Each structure stands twice: as C-alpha cells, then as structure tokens.
Amino acid sequence: MSKLLKNYLSPPAFSFRENAIKKARASQLTSSLVDVCKLMGIPPLPAPLADSLTFNHVQIKPGQVIYSTGQPFTTLYIVYSGFIKTTLDAAAEDEQILDFPMKGDLLGTDGIHRKHYTSNAIALSHCNLVMIPFDVLMEIGKRSSELEVGIYSIMSRELIHKQRMLKVVGSLSAEERVAHFLTALSARFSALGYSDKEFKLRMTRREIASYLGLSLETVSRIIAALDRSGLVAVDGRSITINDSYRLKTLRRLPQVNVSKNVFANNSHNESYTAPVA
Amino acid sequence: MSKLLKNYLSPPAFSFRENAIKKARASQLTSSLVDVCKLMGIPPLPAPLADSLTFNHVQIKPGQVIYSTGQPFTTLYIVYSGFIKTTLDAAAEDEQILDFPMKGDLLGTDGIHRKHYTSNAIALSHCNLVMIPFDVLMEIGKRSSELEVGIYSIMSRELIHKQRMLKVVGSLSAEERVAHFLTALSARFSALGYSDKEFKLRMTRREIASYLGLSLETVSRIIAALDRSGLVAVDGRSITINDSYRLKTLRRLPQVNVSKNVFANNSHNESYTAPVA
DNA sequence: CGTACGGTTGACGACTCTCAAAACTTGTGG
DNA sequence: CCACAAGTTTTGAGAGTCGTCAACCGTACG
C-alpha cells in the first residue's frame, strides 16, 4: 500500500493547508469512502479499504470563500449540507454565477486541468463539506475502477448540466428561464427528500439573474408575475409551487392588460385583488 | 493482463458495432496510445504497453452523424482531423450548438454518466477520428494513473470551456460574442499550427448564431459590421483578422450614422469604398 | 436610529428578434 | 455543361423583449 494512502488511514491528525479554510473549525465529523459514494449517488464500493478510509469534513460560514480562482488545486469538496454558489470573476458587480451546488454535489473539478481553480466557490449558508484530497483520490482510483468510473460519471453529469444551461441561457425567453430555474430547483429538492412544492431560495435575485443571464429587475418582475398568475406563491425567498405542470411547460405568461380585461377571463382571479392601492 | 486488453493488442479484426459508423469505411490508419496522448496534449505515457496498444480510426463524411442522443455509450472519439459540431435536440430548426470540436478534442464524454449519449456529434467536413472504446480506456487507466489524470484533465478542460461559454452567452452583447468567437477560433487555429490571421469558417451563420445564443441575422449583420470597420476582412466564410487586439477587446462597435460622419474620423477608411453600388 | 443591502415597481429606450425579400452559392439531374 | 432547386447569406423594416436608470420600501445589523 502506498505511503500516501497509509497516512490517510489514520483519521486524527490531518493538517489543513487550504488558505480559505484556515479560520474554519474542522468538524469532528468524518465520512468513510462508502459514505462518500452514497452521497454522490454512485455505486458503493465493494473494495476492501472502503470502510477504513476516512475523509475529514470542514465547516463553512455564510459568505466564506471555499476556494477562489488561481489558488493551487489540491482538494475536491463534496457538499454534505448547505448551499453554495460557484462563480467566475468574483469582481463584485459583474460576477458570473455558474451553479448553485447543494447536497451531494462535487466541487472543484475545474481545478484539475490547470492545477489551480478557475472558479470561485462561496457559501450561501452554513455548510458542511467533505474534503477529498485529489492525490488520495488518485491512489484509490488505481485500486478501484468502480470509483474511477464513478468520478468520470460525476464529471460527465456536470458536463451534461452545463450543456443544458447553455441551451437555457442561449435560447429561452426570460420567463422560460425563470420557470426552468424554479422547476429544476424543485426537482433537486425532491431528489434530496425535501418538499418539491415549498422551499426557500438561498440566493439573491441578483444571483439568480446572473445564473440565468438576465438582469435582476427582470427576474424580480417575472417572479412577481408568476405569483400574480397563481402558478407559484412567492413571499420574498419563500416559494410555493401551485401548478408545477404549467410551470414546467410555460412558454409565455399571459400579458396583463392594465386597462382592459381586468375582470374578464383570468383563471386565478384571487391574486388580482388590490393591484396597486 | 486482462482478456479485454489482450484482445485489443491485436490490431486487425475489430468489429464495429456503432450504428452511425456502419456506412463509413474504416481507415487503414491506427494510432498508438502515445499518439493519442500527444494528440490530446497530455503527458505521453511511460507505461510499458503504450506503444503496443493501437486504436482504430474511422472516416466520417460531411453531414454524417457520429453519435446521437440516446444511443448506447461505448466509445470516446478523438478528432484526428476535420471539423465537427455537437448539438442538443437535433430537431432540424431548433438545434442548440454546444461546441465545434476540432483536432485533438475529445468527443462523447457526456455519455459516461447515463451510459448513453446526451448530445449529437455531426461532421462539418471530412473527418478522421480515433475511436477509444471506454472499457478499454478503463483497463488502461487501472495500470496507468498518468493516463487517468490525463482523462480527468481533459474533462476538466471541457468543463472550464463550458463555464466560459456560459459567461459569454449570459453576459456579453451580441458584438462581444461574435468578436469573442472569432478571437477564440483564431487562438485554436494558432495552437494547431495554422494561421491565426486567415482561416475559413466551417460552420454556417445559423450554427454560429445558435452557439452564441443569437439569431443568424444578427450574426450576419455583426460580421458585416466588423468587415466595414476594418477589424476583419470577410468574404463569405473566409476570415482575415486585421486587428486582433481591437477585436479581442471590442466592447461596442461605433455606430454607422448613415447620414453623418461618413468621411470623418474612422481609422480604416479603405473599407468604406463603394458602400452598396 | 441610521446605513447598507435586498427587493419591487415604473418609465423609457435600445438591442436584438422576427418577418420578408432578394442575391448568392452549392449541388443535382437531365 | 447547363438549368433548376435547395440552402446560405445579406439587408431592410418594424416590433417586442429586456436592460438601464431611478425611486421607494422593507429588513437586518451595528
């Protein structure tokens, strides 16, 4: 067995060299390789050392940077709990949101190619992350082709998701993009065992807008319109999806003609009370 | 040595099961693992079997489908020569272009996750592709962690590229997108040893438009405007880049006020001769 | 209690899409 | 080898979606 792996089999002392993590207290939690596989949704390893190997967790506070562009790449992270945003060009006002990783998602794979991260990962809430040193992962991969395929699979999934986002941002209307965003979020919550009807957004309107290639005002307006139409009920960041089918298949929201048709043929008329004051 | 690998060490008889490839004549060309690594730009393998292992090539004609959405995933392809487009939703008019792979690019990685391809790959020209059966790759990976890291690296690079495209499509103006497209294409040609000043586009305006999240008319108009401004010279699909710096840093093309300023302060005035006829 | 930040809403404008027509290119079959 | 058909590209006119600018409100936090 390699020296690297042998060292890693003893849980207690593991020195943190991550710059951004310095201030974070290391959690007492650790995860076995089996836990990690379960978390990522890849087939659990029948390998002999799957149970004895443990990975340390790290606690992150809201707003804290997990890694940022240019930092040397050493570690992959798996979200154990909490919500995160990944961005390009952290420069305050023109950050480009790439994704909103949550439980089970793998972070940092973009760092593999150039040996340093090419994006930023920032916590949107208190987070608990599993740290997977890349060199350790490589060592295990040599012994288990199942894990190897698993990692390829996860990266493939990321690629598929980015492909879909390219279509969303490149060819859908603003309303379709927001509807897609809410639908996709609902599906992810559902997959994690949470309610797919009621959930809280963990990101700002600005962040949603950047993610979807829109302005924050447009996002705000469309969310308000969806609320008025009755498809979803919105209260700040609390979302309740009332008609997931129509939301999923939405193409164009019926125009609100201010001067006409106010009392006429709108299905959910209870949401039209007291237009302005 | 595994049975799989042993079979693969004998070059001659390799049965093609790819549906789309049936009609294509198999080239007499083969590539060794060393060739493949060189082609992809990853460190050549010092492994013992790197030279004896060979991969068959396949010839593809323009317009031919290399793989399509839903097909069972078995094979990765490396572009040896030629130009390709990858798309989502091949449905005639609303296809979404994902990328324009060329020499050295790896195709098909999106198929790993669900065991079937989730995109389409279609030849834009005569192409010569190296076929890498995924199971063979896994076998080699077990023996060579360098190759393994290499594959991770390639997928990481793809991810980085998709991230950049998300920013391009999500936050740049139409002019910036087209300028970025030409600049990036120029850089890729340069990296392959071709001229970065003069090259031929292998794709239609419609395909460029879809790739950039624009309408084909907008792309056509902007290319025409770039030509008028003198930054590039355009003749159909032939592109000559005259001012790569200004093209790279272009934010907004100066408006052409038809009635005013025609003779005034435009730098490249030679391109203004004979406006329409 | 003031400041900062997030969110909402309105007015306006422009960037880009759609529709349309025509010129040009490419391929095909007689 | 030419004629016709189909696809590509260009260009114009008009419209609409969405971005920008701005004001205002609510909430959190020091």
Side-chain angles (χ1 to χ4, degrees):
Chain A
M1 178 171 296
S2 77
K3 187 160 153 253
L4 211 171
L5 265 191
K6 220 180 292 180
N7 285 342
Y8 218 72
L9 283 174
S10 50
F14 174 64
S15 68
F16 296 143
R17 290 156 304 147
E18 316 301 317
N19 350 13
I21 309 302
K22 265 184 294 196
K23 282 163 290 184
R25 310 175 309 281
S27 166
Q28 20 318 50
L29 270 176
T30 60
S31 284
S32 72
L33 190 51
V34 174
D35 297 331
V36 166
C37 289
K38 224 178 292 177
L39 198 54
M40 290 195 293
I42 65 181
L45 292 188
L49 46 70
D51 290 315
S52 48
L53 244 180
T54 61
F55 297 95
N56 286 312
H57 288 221
V58 60
Q59 307 282 113
I60 308 283
K61 283 183 285 189
Q64 200 176 341
V65 174
I66 298 157
Y67 57 78
S68 61
T69 304
Q71 277 189 347
F73 165 75
T74 57
T75 313
L76 294 172
Y77 300 87
I78 299 165
V79 183
Y80 187 80
S81 70
F83 299 88
I84 291 166
K85 66 174 176 182
T86 54
T87 72
L88 232 46
D89 292 341
E93 286 309 307
D94 60 313
E95 72 171 5
Q96 171 69 41
I97 303 284
L98 295 174
D99 204 0
F100 296 112
M102 41 199 278
K103 183 169 184 177
D105 286 329
L106 184 64
L107 290 178
T109 48
D110 56 61
I112 298 174
H113 180 58
R114 298 194 190 286
K115 314 288 191 204
H116 55 76
Y117 300 101
T118 63
S119 63
N120 314 287
I122 299 163
L124 294 174
S125 67
H126 284 281
C127 292
N128 192 327
L129 308 179
V130 186
M131 297 191 296
I132 315 277
F134 189 63
D135 47 12
V136 171
L137 188 67
M138 290 300 92
E139 280 297 317
I140 311 169
K142 264 194 241 178
R143 287 166 175 70
S144 156
S145 68
E146 285 90 351
L147 177 70
E148 200 179 298
V149 174
I151 303 292
Y152 287 131
S153 180
I154 299 276
M155 292 184 71
S156 175
R157 188 176 62 184
E158 274 192 77
L159 224 34
I160 293 171
H161 178 253
K162 291 283 182 296
Q163 287 179 355
R164 280 211 208 94
M165 282 310 296
L166 273 178
K167 184 182 173 68
V168 168
V169 174
S171 71
L172 299 190
S173 72
E175 286 164 359
E176 289 171 308
R177 293 185 217 182
V178 174
H180 171 93
F181 175 72
L182 294 176
T183 301
L185 212 50
S186 165
R188 292 176 80 185
F189 280 125
S190 177
L192 292 180
Y194 303 131
S195 166
D196 60 341
K197 296 299 171 202
E198 287 189 49
F199 50 85
K200 252 190 96 175
L201 301 175
R202 297 319 218 284
M203 64 294 284
T204 68
R205 300 289 193 261
R206 173 184 296 280
E207 285 158 350
I208 297 173
S210 170
Y211 181 60
L212 296 175
L214 299 169
S215 72
L216 70 118
E217 293 96 331
T218 297
V219 169
S220 179
R221 268 187 265 266
I222 288 174
I223 289 181
L226 288 173
D227 180 76
R228 275 195 300 276
S229 76
L231 292 186
V232 304
V234 183
D235 177 24
R237 296 194 184 178
S238 298
I239 301 288
T240 306
I241 296 184
N242 291 327
D243 191 337
S244 62
Y245 177 76
R246 281 213 290 156
L247 186 65
K248 204 171 349 196
T249 58
L250 175 135
R251 283 295 143 90
R252 197 76 36 172
L253 220 35
Q255 287 298 329
V256 181
N257 292 324
V258 183
S259 49
K260 298 176 82 172
N261 291 342
V262 175
F263 306 99
N265 50 4
N266 271 301
S267 39
H268 299 261
N269 52 0
E270 72 277 14
S271 60
Y272 279 108
T273 56
V276 169
Chain B
M1 179 172 293
S2 76
K3 187 160 154 253
L4 211 171
L5 263 191
K6 220 179 293 178
N7 286 342
Y8 218 71
L9 281 174
S10 50
F14 174 64
S15 68
F16 296 143
R17 291 157 302 148
E18 318 300 316
N19 352 11
I21 309 302
K22 264 183 294 195
K23 282 161 291 184
R25 312 175 309 280
S27 167
Q28 33 300 61
L29 270 177
T30 59
S31 284
S32 73
L33 191 51
V34 174
D35 297 331
V36 166
C37 289
K38 224 179 292 175
L39 199 54
M40 292 195 293
I42 64 181
L45 292 187
L49 45 70
D51 289 315
S52 48
L53 242 180
T54 61
F55 297 94
N56 287 311
H57 286 220
V58 61
Q59 307 283 112
I60 309 282
K61 283 183 285 190
Q64 201 177 342
V65 175
I66 298 157
Y67 57 78
S68 62
T69 305
Q71 276 189 349
F73 165 75
T74 58
T75 313
L76 294 172
Y77 300 87
I78 299 165
V79 184
Y80 187 79
S81 70
F83 299 89
I84 292 165
K85 66 175 176 181
T86 54
T87 71
L88 232 46
D89 291 341
E93 286 309 306
D94 60 312
E95 72 172 5
Q96 170 69 42
I97 302 284
L98 296 173
D99 205 359
F100 296 112
M102 42 200 279
K103 183 170 184 177
D105 286 329
L106 185 64
L107 290 179
T109 48
D110 55 62
I112 298 174
H113 181 57
R114 298 195 189 285
K115 313 288 192 204
H116 54 75
Y117 300 101
T118 62
S119 62
N120 314 286
I122 299 163
L124 294 175
S125 67
H126 284 280
C127 292
N128 192 328
L129 308 179
V130 186
M131 297 191 296
I132 316 276
F134 189 62
D135 46 13
V136 172
L137 189 67
M138 289 300 91
E139 280 297 317
I140 310 168
K142 263 194 241 178
R143 287 166 176 69
S144 156
S145 67
E146 285 90 352
L147 177 70
E148 200 180 298
V149 173
I151 303 293
Y152 287 132
S153 180
I154 300 275
M155 293 184 70
S156 174
R157 188 176 62 184
E158 275 193 76
L159 225 33
I160 292 171
H161 178 254
K162 291 282 182 295
Q163 287 178 356
R164 279 212 209 93
M165 281 310 297
L166 274 177
K167 184 183 174 67
V168 167
V169 174
S171 72
L172 299 190
S173 73
E175 285 164 0
E176 289 170 308
R177 293 185 217 182
V178 174
H180 171 92
F181 175 72
L182 294 176
T183 301
L185 212 50
S186 166
R188 294 175 79 185
F189 281 125
S190 176
L192 292 180
Y194 304 131
S195 166
D196 61 340
K197 296 299 171 202
E198 287 189 50
F199 49 85
K200 251 191 96 176
L201 300 176
R202 296 321 216 283
M203 64 295 284
T204 68
R205 301 287 193 262
R206 175 185 295 281
E207 286 159 348
I208 298 174
S210 170
Y211 181 60
L212 297 176
L214 300 170
S215 71
L216 71 126
E217 293 95 331
T218 297
V219 170
S220 178
R221 268 186 264 266
I222 289 173
I223 289 180
L226 288 173
D227 180 74
R228 275 194 299 275
S229 76
L231 292 186
V232 304
V234 182
D235 176 25
R237 296 193 184 177
S238 298
I239 301 288
T240 306
I241 296 183
N242 292 326
D243 191 336
S244 62
Y245 177 76
R246 282 214 290 156
L247 187 64
K248 204 171 350 195
T249 58
L250 175 136
R251 282 296 142 90
R252 197 77 36 173
L253 221 33
Q255 287 299 328
V256 181
N257 293 324
V258 183
S259 49
K260 298 177 80 169
N261 291 341
V262 175
F263 306 98
N265 49 5
N266 273 300
S267 39
H268 298 261
N269 52 0
E270 73 276 12
S271 61
Y272 279 109
T273 55
V276 170

